Amino acid sequence: MRELKICEVAPRDGLQSLGRVLSVEERVDFVSRLYRAGLFKIEVGALVNPKLVPAMAGSDEVFTKLSALFPENQKNFSLLVPNAKGLEKAFAIGCQSVAFFTATSETFNQKNINRTVAESIAELGPLIAAAREKGMLVRLYVSTVFDCAYEGTKNPEKELAIFSELFDSVDEISLGDTTGRGTPQQVATLIAHGILDRWRDKIWWHFHDTYGHAADNVRVAMREGFTQFDSSAGGIGGCPFSPGAKGNIATEKVLSLAREAGLAHNIRLEGVRLL
Ligand code: HMG
Ligand code: MG
């Protein structure tokens, strides 16, 4: 039986847009409950400008406390890193798994990280190389793959090509439907096009669920043989720089879709208090 893999993003994607800021201790408790439920691969925070995303302030402390509590899982606690300053912080605290991010939309990328897409690509190449040199597991998010809050419908079959070199250089590629407007047809078309074939084993799908398409999007990806998904326990999530974006697909939902698709897992979220 093939195995489902989940990257649990509630502690980062969910909490960054929750509307209330959780303390470091509350976040450590939250992640601990998820970990004990069998979610090992967890994005536990973001080393971004805390003035822009106050809910992620203290993510370094969250990581350090979790690493002390669960040293056996340290490599699976990842942090979102936007730039060299964030990567230096990740090195300093002994983080071994980082996620960089960019987008296919110029407007969103500017609003999110104050860079053009070309600037992002130029900046990320050396950062990815530096992280890999230290033996880190490196993920790259590409946002606005199917749709952008500012630019509308996207054309991933063409627009993903500029990231080819970066895709070659990372361990994981997470394709973000940031607004949740992506449709099953778009997902099917992108897969059928073949542009992803070269990196098939590295692909993770990151669906937000604003319009109720996320479950069907996951179904299409599972039907096409993909097994790696980002999801959020309780379905919280959203990007402060993408107006209207709602929660990520709930981890609970992905688990039930995995049952439908015959994918195995050992995650037990029933009865787990989330927030
Ligand atoms: P910048 O303005 O280019 O940075 O920001 P700068 O180097 O000019 O510095 C400006 C200020 O930011 C300075 O502070 C720096 O110290 C500080 P000041 O002197 O004004 O007090 N700074 C930092 N502080 C902490 N950690 C850092 C850091 N870097 C600079 N690493 C930057 C560029 C990217 C940092 C900024 O725009 C930022 O933090 N943006 C936040 C982006 C973010 O968190 N977005 C949400 C996550 S992405 C997402 O949700 C999508 C995803 O889920 C996938 C999907 O759904 O599609 C991943
Ligand atoms: Mg997201």
Side-chain angles (χ1 to χ4, degrees):
M1 205 179 195
R2 284 175 317 139
E3 197 194 340
L4 171 74
K5 291 197 185 148
I6 291 218
C7 178
E8 172 57 51
V9 295
R12 195 276 305 165
D13 208 325
L15 298 187
Q16 76 185 7
S17 42
L18 191 62
R20 83 185 157 96
V21 175
L22 267 58
S23 68
V24 166
E25 284 67 31
E26 286 173 308
R27 283 183 270 164
V28 169
D29 283 350
F30 180 38
V31 175
S32 300
R33 290 194 293 278
L34 299 174
Y35 175 64
R36 291 190 178 108
L39 289 159
F40 300 134
K41 184 174 175 59
I42 308 180
E43 202 163 87
V44 300
L47 301 174
V48 297
N49 184 348
K51 288 184 188 150
L52 298 177
V53 192
M56 290 293 103
S59 287
D60 50 343
E61 273 184 80
V62 171
F63 171 83
T64 304
K65 287 184 191 263
L66 285 165
S67 300
L69 277 172
F70 308 109
E72 72 285 1
N73 199 54
Q74 189 178 354
K75 180 134 197 174
N76 288 322
F77 293 135
S78 63
L79 287 164
L80 192 73
V81 167
N83 57 10
K85 185 170 176 152
L87 185 61
E88 274 159 33
K89 176 69 72 65
F91 287 154
I93 61 176
C95 175
Q96 296 171 60
S97 180
V98 288
F100 297 106
F101 52 114
T102 183
T104 61
S105 158
E106 285 293 345
T107 318
F108 173 77
N109 209 50
Q110 285 281 3
K111 290 186 187 284
N112 197 33
I113 51 172
N114 196 23
R115 303 279 187 280
T116 65
V117 175
E119 283 167 350
S120 250
I121 291 174
E123 187 176 7
L124 288 175
L127 293 182
I128 290 168
R132 295 211 42 148
E133 205 164 294
K134 294 263 185 190
M136 286 175 156
L137 183 99
V138 178
R139 156 179 281 228
L140 177 68
Y141 281 104
V142 179
S143 289
T144 61
V145 166
F146 300 107
D147 177 79
C148 168
Y150 310 98
E151 296 182 1
T153 306
K154 304 298 289 172
N155 186 350
E157 298 78 29
K158 277 199 179 141
E159 293 170 350
L160 288 174
I162 50 169
F163 302 106
S164 293
E165 266 185 51
L166 295 183
F167 286 173
D168 284 341
S169 70
V170 294
D171 299 294
E172 298 179 356
I173 300 158
S174 177
L175 300 178
D177 178 20
T178 317
T179 63
R181 278 206 191 86
T183 63
Q185 290 76 12
Q186 281 180 294
V187 178
T189 303
L190 174 59
I191 295 170
H193 178 274
I195 185 173
L196 301 180
D197 289 354
R198 179 158 140 205
W199 307 286
R200 211 180 156 87
D201 294 344
K202 298 184 182 185
I203 301 289
W204 292 71
W205 297 95
H206 182 105
F207 293 116
H208 284 262
D209 199 19
T210 320
Y211 298 94
H213 303 162
D216 286 334
N217 292 345
V218 168
R219 273 195 188 95
V220 168
M222 285 182 177
R223 187 188 69 210
E224 296 299 327
F226 291 88
T227 56
Q228 305 183 131
F229 298 89
D230 297 352
S231 61
S232 157
I236 54 174
C239 176
F241 307 96
S242 180
K246 294 263 173 55
N248 294 80
I249 187 164
T251 302
E252 304 86 305
K253 185 70 195 173
V254 177
L255 298 183
S256 77
L257 294 169
R259 263 193 301 280
E260 255 178 55
L263 297 177
H265 67 83
N266 286 313
I267 300 159
R268 295 285 166 262
L269 270 174
E270 300 84 8
V272 175
R273 182 168 67 81
L274 297 176
L275 286 178

